[in-house]
């Protein structure tokens, strides 16, 4: 939606492998969120960036999850030593405001579906 | 803790029939309220949102939602459903702005099927 691209769209990993998921918002998207959507569930918050600053990582489920946005544009979500419970769709959302969803709309990417075998 | 409940996991309606999807939230104060739609293979799309003021909110694609404070509800409605409305619908809340950003709390979703 509105230029938020995610890659890869599908990723199959063996348990224990590291994976990296990429989110590429359009220029000007100050705020960026990562969400995790398990099968049959609604998305759950993982982490929030305002430009390059990671202001909230309270939703990251373990220290195996790491996110970065070094130049305030592209963001990468990295999962180390993947486990089966990490299987989910990982959604990226970006917006032009301070990310409050009040003064500006959040645009969601199509997601990266991770399957851990 | 804040939570969002969508009591109906699946709903099936006939094309042309009316639709109401239920959403209840649990939060100390009135949060910001949203409805999103997710079609297969596509990202979440915002249908409508409520911040304050008129409790009946109009959205895209002919949808509307009504905020009822006394019932802590924000139900989504459409008077006449089209086959293209078949999708998954998510209700979401966010606490009133604090810290300069809001993180959305989503319900589990309601999957809508439309019979011709």
């Amino acid at each position: 939606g509105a230029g938020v691209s995610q890659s890869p769209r599908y990723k199959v990993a063996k348990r224990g492998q590291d994976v990296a998921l990429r989110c590429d918002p359009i220029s000007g998207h100050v705020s960026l969120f990562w969400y995790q959507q398990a099968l049959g569930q609604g998305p759950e918050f993982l982490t929030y960036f305002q430009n390059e600053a990671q202001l909230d990582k309270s939703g990251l489920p373990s220290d195996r999850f790491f996110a970065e946005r070094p130049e305030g544009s592209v963001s990468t979500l990295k999962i180390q030593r993947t486990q089966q419970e990490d299987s989910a769709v990982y959604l990226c959302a970006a917006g032009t405001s301070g990310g409050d969803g009040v003064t500006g709309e959040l645009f969601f990417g199509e997601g990266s579906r991770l399957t851990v075998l | 803790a804040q939570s969002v409940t969508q009591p109906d996991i699946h709903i099936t309606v006939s094309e042309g029939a009316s639709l109401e999807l239920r959403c209840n939230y649990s939060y100390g104060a009135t949060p910001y309220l949203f409805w999103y739609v997710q079609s297969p293979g596509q990202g979440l799309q915002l249908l409508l949102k409520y911040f304050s003021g008129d409790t009946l909110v109009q959205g895209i694609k002919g949808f509307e939602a009504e905020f009822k404070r006394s019932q802590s509800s924000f139900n989504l409605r459409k008077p006449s459903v089209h086959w293209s409305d078949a999708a998954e619908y998510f209700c979401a809340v966010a606490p009133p702005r604090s810290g300069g950003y809001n993180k959305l709390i989503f319900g589990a979703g309601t999957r809508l099927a439309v019979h011709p």
Side-chain angles (χ1 to χ4, degrees):
Chain A
V4 180
S5 299
Q6 291 189 245
S7 60
R9 291 290 311 280
Y10 303 91
K11 176 68 179 179
V12 178
K14 292 182 180 179
R15 189 164 61 92
Q17 279 185 331
D18 297 348
V19 300
L21 308 176
R22 176 186 170 107
C23 174
D24 195 346
I26 64 173
S27 177
H29 281 181
V30 170
S31 58
L32 187 145
F33 294 79
W34 283 98
Y35 284 84
Q36 180 190 57
Q37 186 177 16
L39 188 64
Q41 299 297 317
E44 291 192 359
F45 171 83
L46 292 177
T47 188
Y48 166 68
F49 289 86
Q50 188 169 35
N51 295 307
E52 70 279 1
Q54 188 176 21
L55 299 186
D56 187 338
K57 53 181 181 180
S58 62
L60 296 177
S62 77
D63 59 7
R64 296 186 295 104
F65 286 71
F66 172 77
E68 60 183 5
R69 195 185 186 198
E71 297 179 357
S73 54
V74 172
S75 178
T76 303
L77 176 67
K78 298 179 179 178
I79 309 173
Q80 298 177 325
R81 304 181 303 282
T82 53
Q83 304 294 315
Q84 286 188 324
E85 61 263 29
D86 300 335
S87 296
V89 176
Y90 291 86
L91 299 171
C92 175
T96 55
S97 73
D100 61 5
V102 177
T103 55
E105 182 176 344
L106 278 183
F107 297 95
F108 281 81
E110 296 177 354
S112 292
R113 181 179 296 276
L114 172 65
T115 302
V116 182
L117 303 177
Chain B
Q2 303 146 24
S3 66
V4 179
T5 301
Q6 293 181 248
D8 304 304
I9 298 174
H10 290 100
I11 283 185
T12 300
V13 299
S14 297
E15 191 169 18
S18 63
L19 172 70
E20 181 169 30
L21 302 183
R22 296 182 291 165
C23 174
N24 294 93
Y25 65 89
S26 172
Y27 189 69
T30 298
Y32 300 141
L33 298 159
F34 306 81
W35 274 99
Y36 283 85
V37 61
Q38 187 176 40
S39 298
Q42 298 193 16
L44 289 160
Q45 183 182 21
L46 180 67
L47 286 175
L48 45 79
K49 56 190 176 184
Y50 172 80
F51 305 138
S52 64
D54 192 346
T55 57
L56 186 62
V57 180
Q58 301 298 319
I60 62 172
K61 304 185 179 185
F63 285 93
E64 66 178 25
E66 185 173 12
F67 167 58
K68 292 186 177 179
R69 185 190 307 274
S70 61
Q71 298 177 17
S72 296
S73 69
F74 189 56
N75 294 348
L76 182 71
R77 301 193 295 245
K78 186 169 185 177
S80 178
V81 171
H82 188 262
W83 65 266
S84 60
D85 293 325
E88 185 129 28
Y89 292 81
F90 292 94
C91 180
V93 305
R97 186 173 188 173
S98 62
Y101 68 100
N102 285 319
K103 41 189 179 183
L104 297 171
I105 300 168
F106 287 87
T110 297
R111 181 167 297 279
L112 174 66
V114 180
H115 276 323

